[in-house]
Amino acid sequence: MAYQMKDRGESIDFHVPESTPVLVNPASLIAGGPNPEGGELFIEFLLSEEGQQIKADWGHIPLHPDVESQTPLNAEVLEDHAMELDVDWVIENYDEARNEWQQRY
């Protein structure tokens, strides 16, 4: 969204810290949901070239190898900064980490 805002003229930029978790936009099927076949088709679409192009056009970073990122960031650039994400640590330290980032930026 930072790039969309920048394109609209907002005075904002995007910064990737030296070590940062890289999170994906998850999609999942709910066990016992009313339409598992439709859910599977939707997830396949999200991961398809067409679905990834839609995401890229919205400023998201595509993972499909045939879809070009619309921002300076792509999966290869972020891979150099990627780190393991300790979810338990995040849960235990969420408030402290959020407050630290708010003070920094």
Side-chain angles (χ1 to χ4, degrees):
M1 287 187 271
Y3 290 114
Q4 291 170 335
M5 294 171 73
K6 190 172 184 176
D7 287 345
R8 289 193 311 245
E10 301 286 340
S11 60
I12 189 169
D13 206 348
F14 200 87
H15 171 72
V16 179
E18 191 68 28
S19 293
T20 188
V22 177
L23 304 175
V24 297
N25 292 331
S28 59
L29 292 174
I30 304 300
N35 187 358
E37 295 84 14
E40 287 178 19
L41 288 172
F42 181 65
I43 290 172
E44 286 179 24
F45 171 75
L46 288 174
L47 297 173
S48 72
E49 184 174 354
E50 182 183 1
Q52 290 288 291
Q53 185 62 60
I54 291 169
K55 298 293 280 179
D57 292 343
W58 291 346
H60 293 244
I61 301 164
L63 296 178
H64 193 285
D66 297 328
V67 177
E68 188 174 331
S69 181
Q70 305 298 310
T71 74
L73 296 176
N74 59 43
E76 291 173 4
V77 169
L78 292 177
E79 188 174 30
D80 293 339
H81 295 274
M83 61 182 262
E84 285 288 321
L85 178 61
D86 182 345
V87 175
D88 292 329
W89 183 92
V90 171
I91 291 168
E92 293 169 12
N93 296 281
Y94 179 79
D95 289 332
E96 182 181 334
R98 183 189 62 205
N99 291 337
E100 179 183 336
W101 279 93
Q102 285 178 338
Q103 290 174 2
R104 271 197 214 175
Y105 303 103

